[in-house]
Amino acid sequence: MDDIVEAMDDVVDQVRADYDAVPYDSHAFPHTAPGHLAAIAHLFGLNAPEVASARVLEIGCSAGGNLIPFAASNPQARVVGVDLSQVQIDEGRARVQALGLGNLELLQGDIAGMDLAALGQFDFIICHGVYSWVPENVQEAILAAFQRLLAPEGVAYVSYNVYPGWKAKEIVRDAMMMRGAGRGTSDEKLSFARGMIDFLEEVAPADSVLARALADYKAIAVASRDYHLMHEYLETFNTPCYFLELLERAGEHGLAYLADAQPETMFAVNYGAKVAEPLLKECGHSQVLLAQYLDFVVNRTFRQSLLVHADRAPQIRYQLDHSRYGRLHFAAWVPRADGETRLDNSRQEYGEPGGPTLFAQDPAVKAALDALNARWPWTLSRKELLDAVQTRLGADGIEAATNQHELIDGLLDILIMQGQASYRLDPLLPELASTPPRLDEPTRRMAELTRVDADASTFNLWHEALLLSPVDSHLLPLLDGTRDRDALVEALLALAREDLIQFERNGERLSGEAELRDAVAEHIDALPQRLARMKLLRVNDHAEAGR
Ligand SMILES: C[S@@+](CC[C@H](N)C(=O)[O-])C[C@H]1O[C@@H](n2cnc3c(N)ncnc32)[C@H](O)[C@@H]1O
């Protein structure tokens, strides 16, 4: 027995050492946002906890980058993060302190060895990017923590690698591990592993499974930084499972499946009639079985599942229920694909290039899409949406159809099912931007704190991480509402003269005073649009934020 405990300790030490040596880039993941989880719970029939004052726990929080945006915008919330790596926790604590967040506590510890009861109860528990990358006893501890610490109406989020998609990816990981894992430093590990990939690429038969797996890996690798490749392909543990296996283990801990964190992936109709018809027939009302079969259809590699206490399962309804829309606030960007909206009965197409499209014929539906586009990226409640449609049609002398509410609820169905709408139980609607521009203090401070990193970043109210250019990482901290356009231009010019930031034109660095001043002025003049695009400021509702 002592031997087993010692072996476990060695494993935990190894994982801790991995993350201490190569800390994970710690930032916000929008699909884990408590406001998003609450809205999904509501959508599928459950009472959801109050978000603004929620108690939130993140297991494996690294440096707290996914908790900071929530804690900063919800001062009444109580937020706790736990992570094994002291290096990451120390880094996170320094940030939390610099941001002055008194409601966020970061604790170093092994979730499998902690006194869970001492942590208290939580309305939302998040575990992103951890479950598949830890030994089995830690996986058990995560599920046990969900069971013990989740409030009766709480929602837990867990993400993990899944089969069948990872079957082929494992070939690549195994090859990389065999050549790289035993090497000295993490740089050496990665370098030897990459050598293996290069070799295999040269010799793999063109139409082989290996060639396909390598091509998939390459597509990910070009867009990934070393820390990600290291932890995904060379991490001591990476144990994918089938969706049903995860649910079986969750069931042993008294937990039931609620939904996917991207609900649009749950609707069979999104995969075409050839997929939907046989699967819906085969799976009947079993959303779980349908989800598992869909994983084969799309060769899924990664899942984000929401779990609740099993006694709530009977209340879950997957059929979209319009009576639940009244409490929701919606944001959607579904631009017209074919010119101006015509408030007649002609058929018009809406949707972003490359994304899902929809066709609208009824004037009320078109007016609703215009209202959502005009408000985007901020929200309209269902009632505000109905009112906006009424006003617009009234102004054009168009009489409301008797089924106008149903038509608009039908539109909301489509936007939800196709993943074109974001929704919350509370409005996401900041005040209109003031002049001079002012950003919230945590948003500014975060840009300042991270500008020493390779990737400076901050976050917005949608719980999205925003990568910042070197210039913006210096500019955003200045937006405290005291500096007008001219003052901002002078401030950036001073930074450029000190060589702290650089401006280029056509790839050439600018140094002459006049050309530098022009470039800085251009950068400042484009600032309002840039901040609106980043969802950092709300500009006039009627100017559609260009994306
Ligand atoms: C792949 S990282 C993910 C970090 C972050 N959640 C994210 O998605 O960016 C896994 C994290 O889990 C932490 N971790 C691993 N084993 C743990 C354990 N037994 N208890 C607590 N945290 C653990 C690691 O230190 C690391 O920060």
Side-chain angles (χ1 to χ4, degrees), residues 335-339 349-351 357:
R336 289 173 302 271
D338 54 0
E349 187 180 351
Y350 291 76
T357 54

Side-chain angles (χ1 to χ4, degrees), residues 17-225:
D18 286 347
Y19 285 99
D20 280 348
V22 185
Y24 218 68
D25 192 22
S26 185
H27 57 81
F29 295 96
H31 294 121
T32 70
H36 177 64
L37 308 185
I40 295 176
H42 173 83
L43 184 71
F44 292 121
L46 297 184
N47 284 340
E50 197 62 49
V51 174
S53 57
R55 298 156 298 177
V56 177
L57 170 68
E58 180 163 5
I59 299 171
C61 64
S62 62
N66 190 35
L67 292 172
I68 287 172
F70 179 75
S73 45
N74 295 279
Q76 303 307 318
R78 177 180 159 254
V79 187
V80 179
V82 172
D83 200 281
L84 187 60
S85 155
Q86 187 72 54
V87 171
Q88 298 186 114
I89 289 293
D90 287 347
E91 187 194 326
R93 282 181 180 157
R95 280 196 183 159
V96 169
Q97 201 183 10
L99 293 165
L101 299 175
N103 59 344
L104 169 51
E105 193 184 3
L106 297 179
L107 306 171
Q108 187 280 328
D110 169 7
I111 193 69
M114 291 179 86
D115 175 7
L116 292 180
L119 292 174
Q121 284 227 311
F122 295 90
D123 303 301
F124 300 97
I125 305 182
I126 302 162
C127 188
H128 180 276
V130 183
Y131 185 86
S132 298
W133 300 266
V134 289
E136 201 178 327
N137 71 309
V138 179
Q139 294 183 333
E140 282 295 305
I142 291 168
L143 296 173
F146 286 177
Q147 180 178 25
R148 288 189 58 187
L149 305 183
L150 199 61
E153 295 199 336
V155 180
Y157 164 107
V158 60
S159 69
Y160 47 103
N161 282 341
V162 285
Y163 294 131
W166 257 91
K167 292 270 177 195
K169 282 167 73 102
E170 274 181 337
I171 303 173
V172 176
R173 171 173 149 85
D174 290 350
M176 291 174 76
M177 290 286 282
M178 275 180 205
R179 184 146 191 271
R183 310 290 167 169
T185 66
S186 38
D187 283 348
E188 282 164 0
K189 287 182 183 162
L190 205 51
S191 165
F192 274 87
R194 281 185 168 131
M196 183 70 165
I197 295 295
D198 293 343
F199 163 71
L200 290 176
E201 266 188 325
E202 276 183 27
V203 298
D207 53 357
S208 62
V209 171
L210 176 62
R212 179 68 209 271
L214 289 167
D216 288 348
Y217 164 81
K218 270 284 151 102
I220 293 167
V222 289
S224 300
R225 300 236 315 275

